[in-house]
Amino acid sequence: MSKKVRVRFAPSPTGGLHLGGVRTVLYNYLFAKKHGGDFIVRIEDTDQSRYVPGAEEYIFDCLRWCGLEPDESVQHGGAFGPYRQSERKSLYRAYAEKLITQGDAYYAFDTPAELEAMRKQYKTDQNPSPQYDHTLRLRMRNSLTLSAEEVNQLLSSGTPHVIRIQMPGSGTIAFTDMIRGDVSFDMSTVDDKVLLKADGMPTYHLAVVVDDHLMQISHAFRGEEWLPSAPVHLRLWEKLFGRDAMPQWAHLPLILGPNGKLSKRDGAKYGFPVFAMNWTDPKSGETIEGFRERGFLPEAFINLLAMLGWNDGTEKELFSLEELVQAFSMERVHSAGAKFDYEKAKWFNHEWLRRKPLEEIIIALRSQFGSLDSLGSLGSLKWERIVALVRERCHLLTDFVEETRYFFEYPKSVDMASIQPKWSSEKAAFFSALLVRYDSLADWNAAALEECFKTLATEQSIKPGELMLPLRIMLVGGKFGPGVFDIADILGKVETIRRIELLTVQLSNN
RNA sequence: GGCCCGUUCGUCUAAGGGCUAGGACACCACCCUUUCACGGUGGUGAUACGGGUUCGAAUCCCGUACGGGCUACCA
């Protein structure tokens, strides 16, 4: 039991990396780090027809953004390579043939057309999807139905063929899932899955077992959608390497969208992203939005994903990655699927926006919004003050654009309706006088500005409250934002005076 | 259809036989605030249903219903 903890994430590089995938990575990573183990990323690219250029790079970019660096992978190296299954192609066939020798697998020569014909022929209302299983395999063209001579002849003449596992026609097979407990299957209901494809590549079923063994994986975590194929993998372990060598498994609950399983396509429909980062399909050129581009901080993204199906047993909800490593345990992972709640996701980001160091938020903002770069001329000191003032009003990094706009440009629209009805010549006089005082103010800071403002109001016998809203609207254009005098402070004398003057004139002319 | 997994407030969840089923998000009200937000206080709101087992069940068992996943030479 002192076996070194080694876990793996095994994505197929076919497109964007979605929420559920990242959470699987996260749980793998947390488990590995918690137990001082290794986190391996293995690329499952055994289906060359689904090869998508750039997808592999993209996955690693996502992991990097999330701060979940693998210990071993195509990019990180390691002693158990190659980490791309397409590069391991040559080693799978021997295992499949070993199974044939043992009588646990067989060659099958059925063409795709023949398979289709079989499904059509045996399809009934009772059985809408006939399976290549113990009830049907004797009616197909394979090494079970053909004579040895025929099989040898077909093989030596290079006839395309696959190797299928031969599942027993009776008996049960079971295992203990770390999350679900005992799970068992009736083997007679499991079909003879293809192990080795006609192109010589293994299917997932063979590859996952062989590679988990060769890479000495101690714990295998994957999505619940894999549970139905577990009996095939169990059988393979049993027949190839022995059950004792098998990793401990945990099938993670699914993350659901509003209508069931999150589909990569439906991102736009849901109103929230499904991918970690923007993914542009190289063929169609279509881009599907990611959480990063939507304005999420990686800390928040990780945090919210961790809490989707797991908790530490206390009421704590805000965790840094380090805290998660400390607190995580697979036993506390919920077994039921979780519907993704975008409102709560935004709350997590909001919380991280409030607690993350200012400088880091500014970096995140800069690297994210080119449009704000030109405004960087303000200097980092001013930026820190601005971010400190508006951060608690923002849920997403993108919110900063609107929340800080008035610092950099004259408000695009001004809510005149909120001042006009109560505007008076007295107020006009007040602001005219204020302009003079502000212009000659020695120290331009929030406290002095407020002091000066209130003194003048008292002198002119107007309640400051009557004047604060007009001032705010003059400066920011609407009823929002942090304290007015803080804003005026940052805006500076010239701009503040300009905005007050502009509006005072405009209001008096109406 | 078959197989597998699941079912506590709208959502994420706590409570793994024993006090008025707890928290968070969202929502509502009030307070704070001379704007918005933050914050504070309070509120609405859940054990799918039916049987057992037990002194006692959200918790254990069975059934039903509902939800989800799988059912490719895709992963």
Side-chain angles (χ1 to χ4, degrees), chain A residues 173-175 185 230-238 243 246 249:
Chain A
I173 194 161
F175 78 104
F185 305 83
V232 175
H233 309 146
L234 289 166
R235 182 78 179 167
L236 253 18
W237 269 101
E238 213 166 270
R243 282 290 290 261
M246 193 175 79
W249 287 355

Side-chain angles (χ1 to χ4, degrees), chain A residues 158-449:
Chain A
T159 309
H161 63 278
V162 301
I163 295 178
R164 285 179 182 272
I165 188 172
Q166 185 172 350
M167 290 301 288
S170 66
T172 63
I173 194 161
F175 78 104
T176 303
D177 188 279
M178 292 172 76
I179 295 171
R180 284 150 221 285
D182 294 339
V183 181
S184 69
F185 305 83
D186 181 345
M187 285 190 286
S188 70
T189 65
V190 180
D191 61 327
D192 291 348
K193 288 270 185 265
V194 169
L195 263 20
L196 202 74
K197 300 187 264 191
D199 64 3
M201 280 287 198
T203 59
Y204 171 83
H205 307 294
L206 212 217
V208 72
V209 170
V210 169
D211 286 340
D212 280 354
H213 174 254
L214 262 20
M215 294 183 180
Q216 295 176 22
I217 299 304
S218 63
H219 300 261
F221 310 138
R222 65 206 328 186
E224 188 185 345
E225 71 268 28
W226 289 108
L227 208 39
S229 56
V232 175
H233 309 146
L234 289 166
R235 182 78 179 167
L236 253 18
W237 269 101
E238 213 166 270
K239 295 297 175 182
L240 248 20
F241 312 116
R243 282 290 290 261
D244 290 344
M246 193 175 79
Q248 268 190 272
W249 287 355
H251 289 86
L252 275 22
L254 263 18
I255 296 179
L256 284 350
N259 323 297
K261 194 181 184 183
L262 269 185
S263 79
K264 306 186 176 191
R265 281 289 166 75
D266 292 345
K269 208 161 62 188
Y270 298 147
F272 56 82
V274 297
F275 289 158
M277 305 186 338
N278 271 11
W279 165 253
T280 303
D281 185 89
K283 266 211 181 94
S284 67
E286 183 194 5
T287 295
I288 301 177
E289 193 186 20
F291 277 84
R292 184 179 73 170
E293 288 77 7
R294 187 51 92 87
F296 279 81
L297 293 168
E299 291 90 341
F301 188 51
I302 289 306
N303 194 164
L304 71 93
L305 249 20
M307 302 309 290
L308 216 49
W310 172 87
N311 69 83
D312 75 341
T314 72
E315 281 169 2
K316 183 177 163 80
E317 287 192 283
L318 266 12
F319 288 86
S320 66
L321 187 57
E322 296 70 36
E323 290 172 318
L324 285 171
V325 168
Q326 285 307 309
F328 189 76
S329 76
M330 199 51 76
E331 288 69 27
R332 286 203 66 88
V333 174
H334 215 63
S335 54
K339 203 173 286 182
F340 183 72
D341 181 359
Y342 184 55
E343 291 306 315
K344 184 131 190 188
K346 284 194 294 190
W347 174 78
F348 274 107
N349 205 57
H350 181 226
E351 290 298 323
W352 276 99
L353 242 19
R354 295 178 58 193
R355 57 173 45 209
K356 195 173 161 106
L358 287 174
E359 323 83 71
E360 293 177 26
I361 291 182
I362 290 166
I363 290 168
L365 283 170
R366 286 261 166 83
S367 63
Q368 216 146 148
F369 303 108
S371 62
L372 286 184
D373 269 4
S374 56
L375 311 168
S377 55
L378 276 177
S380 61
L381 221 82
K382 229 168 203 179
W383 259 108
E384 283 196 17
R385 292 173 63 196
I386 292 174
V387 171
L389 284 176
V390 304
R391 74 205 299 200
E392 63 196 23
R393 271 152 249 264
C394 297
H395 281 80
L396 303 171
L397 284 169
T398 47
D399 291 341
F400 280 88
V401 176
E402 283 312 310
E403 289 295 336
T404 63
R405 172 152 265 144
Y406 54 84
F407 282 115
F408 311 111
E409 58 186 37
Y410 189 78
K412 281 203 166 64
S413 68
V414 177
D415 181 11
M416 297 292 270
S418 292
I419 0 178
Q420 221 144 26
K422 289 185 174 177
W423 191 250
S424 62
S425 53
E426 286 78 15
K427 285 184 183 172
F430 170 85
F431 281 104
S432 297
L434 184 68
L435 285 171
V436 176
R437 297 231 178 151
Y438 272 8
D439 192 36
S440 59
L441 206 59
D443 281 330
W444 189 266
N445 63 64
L449 289 163

Side-chain angles (χ1 to χ4, degrees), chain A residues 449 468-469 471-473 475-476 481-489:
Chain A
L449 289 163
M468 300 270 280
L469 191 63
L471 176 61
R472 164 175 300 281
I473 290 174
L475 298 184
V476 314
V484 240
F485 300 108
D486 287 318
I487 293 171
D489 183 347

